[in-house]
């Protein structure tokens, strides 16, 4: 295999606002190959959105972002890339899909114009060419009645159609990488199934890599090839989708997966969950951030930060305790 | 069959809104009848735009229904007005989806709960304090939180406060509109378990409005499925999930991805077409027919009958009995309950 399409090495993000300094992403490494889907799973405040959007310059105004480490896309180092060059990549070779299509689309522009704009900017098309391309893209995302949709405004479309329009914008410049932030969270399950099927189909046809940010394990299982589980700004488990979902190793991922209701759970029985509350984003901590909620916690967990250590078989987990277990088990074998 | 024991009975309720188009109406809730027995946990599921929240809001009086009756404890609320209506309706309380929007930023938690206590006539400060402590304890929050502001609380804690506030007036029915969908995955189980605990301890009946079917299946004993303003299937939760007998319920259940990549790799999404149609101009006959994989010409002409599959399970679809039997159920034919 050649070099991965996107590779993060020891990436950290510091955010400085008027009042506080935070480190929402703390020393994170991962890679995504062409045509691959990496799912980044985590709860709110785990840093999964900042991890993906800070490096491509999509942060709220009034926040000073400081990046450390390295994030290479193709042969370009994105950390420290001037804003002007970033603008040419973002929306072009890197497409983005956001959670809420209503606030991501321009309410005052027709759908066709919004798609054409991308093709004009990144592919250098004339407006006539670009409008023709917009029609092709609406067909590609399997929008019903594409000719009349081109002339509609976002408020005239349903949630599912808006999300299709946003996907059409994201793939308008034939990106190598799609970053999708909770693309189906705002949608109903029946529409979610259609959008996931569409993303899989587009990925096959365009050979795009997808980084999918989500909290839904079902969505992960249906589309991802690799999974990174984030907790308090760190990747706590990283491996193939089969490894992480079927044989999770980190106590946090184990707990999250065990918490999903199963068909065999009887009506009226208690739900399984994790005790305690998710961490509040703040300054980096010395030990393991999951220690206060962890069932396996031992005394040095709060002092020594567990490295993300690969196991001989299975995923890499950042946990002192589970990384000791395989050695013991292997002694038995 | 629940008639005689029902605590809350909603009969043929219709709630309409004026459309932006002149002279047009959106019938969000169209001739819906549901029932809740005392202390029962009931689910109401459906896609966004199906009218499930409007139904809940109509029951508590946040929307004004155009027709139909809401009977609480044997008293028809539509015959009451003013003070008596407000006092009666107090037995039904609402828990909103978004705990960030449902609490006042400028009130402490204690003040927010005290407001509810004042409404029921608890004006003594010491007694208020005692009750607030009790309520916070019931929802698993420390007493010290009473002096904090909502902004200092996490989403899960806020939702607990909202629940404590609805419990302050000692309701018999809680209408919970997506109470955990704004919460983090690891917190959802905690709040759901709180509902189960409260239900057990206080015997309060709950109508759970949700789109998360797995959650509803585990929490409730009966489930109603709603589509474009109509209840299209109802039954005991276990049976409804094991033997869904309306094509829509089947599609809804089939759309939920499992967390097992081995199953997902080979699973095709269910055959359901497009999005929910506009309620301004619903399809004739069966409202689901435009998206239904099993639609036939007859579906366009008349609304489908309610087919009684078991005494507690019925579905409004012409082929409901076939679907039920295909899933291993047996149903005596011609047992149609009528429309």
């Amino acid at each position: 295999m050649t070099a991965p399409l996107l590779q993060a090495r020891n990436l950290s993000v510091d955010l400085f606002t008027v009042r506080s300094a935070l480190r929402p992403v703390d020393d994170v490494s991962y890679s995504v190959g062409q045509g691959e889907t990496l799912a980044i799973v985590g709860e709110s405040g785990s840093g999964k959105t900042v991890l993906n959007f800070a490096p491509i310059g999509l942060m709220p105004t009034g926040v000073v972002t400081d990046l450390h480490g390295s994030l290479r896309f193709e042969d370009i180092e994105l950390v420290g890339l001037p804003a002007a060059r970033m603008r040419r990549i973002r929306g072009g070779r890197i497409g983005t899909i956001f959670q809420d299509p209503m606030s991501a689309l321009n309410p005052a522009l027709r759908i066709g114009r919004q798609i054409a704009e991308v093709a004009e900017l990144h592919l250098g098309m004339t407006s006539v060419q670009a409008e023709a391309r917009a029609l092709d893209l609406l067909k590609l995302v399997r929008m019903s009645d594409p000719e009349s949709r081109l002339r509609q405004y976002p408020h005239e479309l349903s949630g599912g159609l808006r999300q299709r329009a946003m996907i059409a914008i994201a793939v308008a410049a034939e990106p190598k990488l799609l970053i999708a932030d909770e693309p189906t969270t705002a949608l109903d399950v029946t529409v979610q199934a259609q959008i996931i099927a569409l993303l899989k189909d587009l990925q096959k046809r365009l050979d795009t890599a997808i980084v999918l940010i989500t909290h839904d394990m079902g969505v992960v299982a249906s589309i991802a090839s690799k999974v990174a589980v984030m907790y308090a700004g760190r990747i706590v488990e990283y491996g193939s989708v089969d490894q992480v979902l079927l044989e999770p190793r980190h106590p946090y991922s184990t707990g999250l997966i065990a918490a999903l209701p199963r068909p065999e759970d009887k009506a009226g029985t208690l739900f399984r969950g994790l005790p305690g509350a998710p961490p509040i984003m703040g300054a980096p901590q010395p030990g393991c951030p999951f220690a206060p909620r962890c069932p396996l916690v031992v005394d040095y967990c709060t002092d020594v930060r567990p490295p993300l250590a690969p196991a001989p078989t299975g995923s890499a987990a950042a946990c002192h305790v589970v990384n000791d277990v395989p050695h013991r088990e292997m002694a038995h074998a | 069959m629940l008639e005689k024991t029902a605590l809350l009975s909603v009969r043929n309720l219709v709630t309409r809104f004026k459309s932006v188009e002149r002279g047009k109406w959106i019938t969000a809730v169209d001739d819906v009848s549901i029932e809740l027995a005392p202390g029962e946990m009931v689910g109401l599921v459906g896609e966004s735009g199906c009218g499930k929240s409007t139904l809940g809001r109509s029951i508590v009086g946040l929307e004004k229904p155009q027709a139909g009756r809401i009977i609480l404890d044997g008293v028809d609320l539509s015959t009451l007005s003013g003070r008596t209506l407000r006092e009666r309706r107090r037995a039904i309380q609402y828990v909103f989806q978004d705990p960030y929007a449902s609490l006042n930023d400028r009130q402490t938690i204690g003040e927010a709960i005290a407001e509810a206590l004042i409404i029921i006539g608890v004006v003594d400060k010491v007694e208020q304090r005692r009750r607030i402590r009790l309520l916070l304890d019931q929802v698993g929050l420390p007493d010290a939180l009473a002096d904090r502001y909502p902004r200092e609380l996490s989403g899960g804690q806020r939702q607990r406060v909202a629940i404590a506030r609805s419990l302050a007036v000692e309701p018999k029915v809680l209408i919970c509109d997506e109470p955990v969908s704004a919460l983090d995955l690891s917190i959802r189980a905690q709040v759901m378990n709180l509902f189960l605990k409260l239900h057990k301890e206080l015997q309060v009946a709950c109508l759970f409005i949700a789109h998360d079917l797995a959650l509803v299946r585990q929490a409730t004993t009966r489930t109603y499925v709603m589509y474009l303003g109509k209840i299209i299937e109802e039954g005991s939760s276990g049976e409804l999930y094991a033997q869904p007998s309306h094509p829509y319920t089947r599609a809804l259940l089939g759309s939920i991805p499992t967390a097992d990549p081995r199953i997902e790799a080979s699973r095709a999404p269910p055959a359901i077409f497009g999005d929910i149609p506009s309620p301004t101009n619903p399809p004739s006959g069966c409202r689901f027919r435009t998206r239904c994989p099993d639609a036939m010409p007859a579906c366009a002409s008349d609304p489908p009958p309610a087919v009684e599959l078991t005494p507690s399970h019925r579905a409004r679809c012409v082929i409901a009995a076939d679907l039920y039997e295909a899933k291993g159920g047996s149903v005596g034919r011609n047992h149609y309950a009528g429309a």
Side-chain angles (χ1 to χ4, degrees):
Chain A
M1 215 189 98
T2 51
L5 184 74
L6 183 76
Q7 180 149 38
R9 283 211 185 95
N10 306 106
L11 184 71
S12 296
V13 181
D14 288 322
L15 296 182
F16 301 99
T17 63
V18 180
R19 278 200 228 140
S20 57
L22 310 168
R23 176 166 285 184
V25 178
D26 191 5
D27 197 16
V28 158
S29 303
Y30 61 89
S31 69
V32 192
Q34 199 172 354
E36 233 180 16
T37 302
L38 170 72
I40 298 182
V41 185
E43 296 176 278
S44 52
S46 64
K48 59 191 194 299
T49 300
V50 174
L51 167 64
N52 284 284
F53 288 137
I56 58 170
L58 293 180
M59 290 306 287
T61 47
V63 176
V64 178
T65 314
D66 194 11
L67 299 166
H68 306 277
S70 150
L71 181 65
R72 287 190 85 79
F73 170 65
E74 293 182 312
D75 49 1
I76 308 159
E77 175 59 58
L78 297 184
V79 173
L81 196 71
R85 281 195 64 198
M86 179 59 73
R87 265 202 297 279
R88 299 185 55 81
I89 296 173
R90 189 177 55 219
R93 275 180 288 169
I94 299 179
T96 48
I97 301 169
F98 299 96
Q99 175 172 351
D100 179 9
M102 199 56 203
S103 52
L105 295 171
N106 186 336
L109 286 185
R110 294 175 200 273
I111 295 296
R113 191 88 281 284
Q114 298 194 43
I115 302 172
E117 214 171 46
V118 179
E120 285 166 22
L121 197 68
H122 289 283
L123 303 177
M125 289 182 173
T126 65
S127 60
V128 177
Q129 285 172 322
E131 303 264 342
R133 172 143 180 92
L135 182 63
D136 290 342
L137 285 163
L138 286 187
K139 287 177 185 159
L140 183 75
V141 297
R142 284 188 251 124
M143 197 99 111
S144 60
D145 196 9
E147 282 88 356
S148 61
R149 301 285 182 220
L150 279 179
R151 290 187 301 275
Q152 286 185 315
Y153 290 96
H155 75 266
E156 296 177 87
L157 304 181
S158 68
L161 289 179
R162 274 184 216 138
Q163 198 56 290
R164 280 176 199 266
M166 191 150 69
I167 293 172
I169 294 172
V171 298
E174 292 178 0
K176 288 273 177 249
L177 172 70
L178 262 182
I179 298 177
D181 185 6
E182 306 263 11
T184 61
T185 307
L187 306 175
D188 285 309
V189 277
T190 55
V191 182
Q192 167 174 296
Q194 295 167 20
I195 295 290
I196 288 174
L198 171 67
L199 283 175
K200 276 161 98 168
D201 177 56
L202 285 177
Q203 176 170 42
K204 215 177 277 168
R205 283 205 254 173
L206 308 173
D207 201 23
T208 343
I210 300 179
V211 175
L212 179 84
I213 304 166
T214 184
H215 65 266
D216 187 327
M217 292 295 179
V219 173
V220 174
S222 51
I223 190 167
S225 38
K226 283 202 287 192
V227 183
V229 181
M230 284 193 80
Y231 191 81
R234 302 178 192 175
I235 291 180
V236 294
E237 183 153 1
Y238 182 59
S240 75
V241 67
D242 287 6
Q243 288 169 346
V244 177
L245 288 191
L246 301 177
E247 289 157 18
R249 294 180 62 236
H250 194 279
Y252 175 63
S253 358
T254 311
L256 267 192
I257 290 162
L260 301 169
R262 294 192 210 110
E264 59 269 23
D265 291 330
K266 291 251 176 333
T269 52
L270 288 184
F271 290 83
R272 290 173 301 275
L274 293 163
I280 294 152
M281 215 195 309
Q285 296 161 15
C288 171
F290 188 61
R293 303 173 78 186
C294 184
L296 306 177
V297 66
V298 291
D299 50 6
Y300 53 89
C301 287
T302 46
D303 308 324
V304 186
R305 176 173 171 162
L308 186 68
T313 56
S315 58
C319 174
H320 294 304
V321 181
V322 299
N323 281 331
D324 274 348
V325 174
H327 303 301
R328 277 184 231 139
E329 275 176 2
M330 269 170 20
H332 283 291
Chain B
M1 61 111 214
L2 288 161
E3 292 272 329
K4 48 190 180 298
T5 54
L7 166 69
L8 175 73
S9 169
V10 175
R11 296 209 192 135
N12 308 100
L13 196 80
V14 179
T15 305
R16 283 189 303 201
F17 300 109
K18 253 193 187 133
S19 166
V20 281
E21 288 173 70
R22 186 183 281 266
K24 284 208 174 164
W25 290 83
I26 295 167
T27 310
V29 177
D30 193 357
D31 195 17
V32 165
S33 302
I34 63 167
E35 273 177 357
L36 248 76
E40 196 184 19
M41 294 276 264
V42 174
L44 175 63
V45 299
E47 289 175 282
S48 51
C50 76
K52 56 189 195 298
S53 291
T54 307
L55 174 58
R57 293 171 63 88
S58 302
I59 295 172
V60 287
L62 288 169
E63 309 291 350
K64 196 166 164 32
Q66 261 71 25
R69 296 195 295 162
I70 297 162
I71 298 158
L72 177 70
D73 243 349
V75 179
D76 187 349
L77 294 183
S78 55
T79 61
L80 306 176
S81 62
R83 195 193 177 105
T84 35
L85 175 62
R86 279 203 304 279
E87 279 170 5
R88 274 279 170 187
R89 204 156 51 195
R90 208 166 286 151
I92 314 175
Q93 288 298 318
Y94 206 82
V95 177
F96 293 89
Q97 172 174 1
D98 184 0
Y100 290 84
S102 62
L103 294 172
N104 187 340
D105 290 344
R106 292 177 163 263
Q107 267 181 339
T108 63
I109 302 309
E111 283 164 0
I113 299 174
E115 213 172 41
L117 292 171
I118 292 164
I119 289 172
I120 56 163
V122 182
V123 284
D124 178 52
K125 290 279 177 212
V126 181
E127 175 63 7
Q128 277 181 9
R129 200 76 203 158
R130 194 189 65 83
R131 294 257 205 134
I132 289 167
R133 197 180 315 135
L134 201 74
L135 285 162
L136 287 176
D137 183 56
Q138 246 167 6
V139 297
L141 291 176
D143 188 26
L145 242 52
D147 300 320
R148 303 276 197 88
Y149 286 91
R151 61 169 180 273
E152 300 172 71
L153 269 54
S154 70
Q157 286 175 323
R158 283 172 197 232
Q159 198 57 296
R160 284 171 193 266
V161 171
I163 296 165
R165 191 175 52 171
S166 10
L167 292 176
V169 297
E170 292 164 357
K172 289 179 181 160
V173 182
L174 272 187
I175 294 179
C176 314
D177 191 355
E178 302 272 11
V180 298
S181 63
L183 305 179
D184 265 317
L185 216 58
S186 67
I187 302 303
R188 276 183 204 185
Q190 297 174 8
V191 175
M192 287 308 294
N193 287 342
L194 172 64
F195 277 115
L196 291 174
K197 182 191 106 163
L198 292 172
H199 165 250
K200 219 178 200 170
E201 288 174 2
L202 308 175
Q203 281 300 307
V204 56
C206 284
L207 180 67
F208 246 98
I209 303 173
H211 67 272
D212 188 333
L213 295 146
L215 218 74
V216 170
R217 188 194 56 78
Q218 196 175 336
T220 65
T221 48
R222 281 194 309 125
T223 304
Y224 291 98
V225 184
M226 203 167 170
Y227 185 79
L228 263 188
K230 295 261 191 206
I231 301 287
I232 52 104
E233 185 164 359
E234 59 182 278
S236 74
S237 301
E239 192 177 88
L240 197 104
Y241 286 82
Q243 289 157 295
S245 306
H246 192 288
Y248 177 63
T249 316
R250 287 162 64 105
L252 212 52
L253 289 171
S255 301
I256 312 168
T258 61
D260 189 331
R262 292 168 303 188
I263 298 172
E264 287 306 312
S266 56
R267 205 177 61 109
I272 176 169
F273 315 116
D275 293 348
I276 195 163
S278 158
T280 12
N281 189 16
S284 66
C286 172
R287 296 191 167 189
F288 185 58
R289 71 179 165 84
T290 51
R291 300 173 75 192
C292 183
D294 304 311
M296 46 189 110
C299 299
S301 50
D302 295 302
V307 180
E308 191 165 290
L309 304 155
T310 69
S312 64
H313 184 180
R314 55 183 94 161
R316 284 179 184 271
C317 176
V318 285
I319 58 164
D322 297 325
L323 294 176
Y324 184 75
E325 279 171 3
K327 286 273 181 182
S330 81
V331 48
R333 291 300 179 115
N334 305 325
H335 271 207
Y336 287 176

